[in-house]
Amino acid sequence: MEADARSEGKWISTVRLGPKSQIVIPKEVRDMFGLGPGDSLLLMADVARGIALVDPAEYAEVISKVLDSPPDKEDRL
C-alpha cells in the first residue's frame, strides 16, 4: 500500500524496505530538507515510539555528552 499526505512544510508517506532492507526517502522530502547524496542523518529508534531520522547537527550536544567527547564543528551539517 503506497500512500502519502502533504501540507505546507509537512509530509507523511509509507515507504517500503527494498531487497537490502534500505528505504528511499521520497524526492519531495529530500527537496524539502535539502538532502542529497552523501548527507548524513541520525537514526533514532525506540521500541515504544518508533523510528526517526533527524539532522545530526541538531543533536550534536546530546551525542557529545553520550560519547563523552567535545563536538567537532567540522562534523556538523
Side-chain angles (χ1 to χ4, degrees):
M1 174 173 116
E2 298 293 324
D4 62 53
R6 304 165 221 192
S7 65
E8 190 163 334
K10 297 179 182 180
W11 183 280
I12 187 169
S13 177
T14 58
V15 294
R16 201 174 290 233
L17 288 176
K20 295 182 180 181
S21 296
Q22 298 173 325
I23 63 168
V24 174
I25 298 171
K27 181 183 182 325
E28 296 85 352
V29 175
R30 295 190 315 265
D31 291 347
M32 185 186 306
F33 288 95
L35 297 172
D39 286 347
S40 293
L41 295 171
L42 175 63
L43 183 140
M44 298 190 306
D46 180 290
V47 172
R49 301 172 95 186
I51 298 171
L53 295 171
V54 297
D55 181 349
E58 293 180 19
Y59 291 85
E61 187 175 328
V62 172
I63 293 167
S64 176
K65 287 179 182 177
V66 169
L67 299 177
D68 197 29
S69 64
D72 187 301
K73 291 182 182 180
E74 292 178 353
D75 289 343
R76 295 183 182 189
L77 290 177

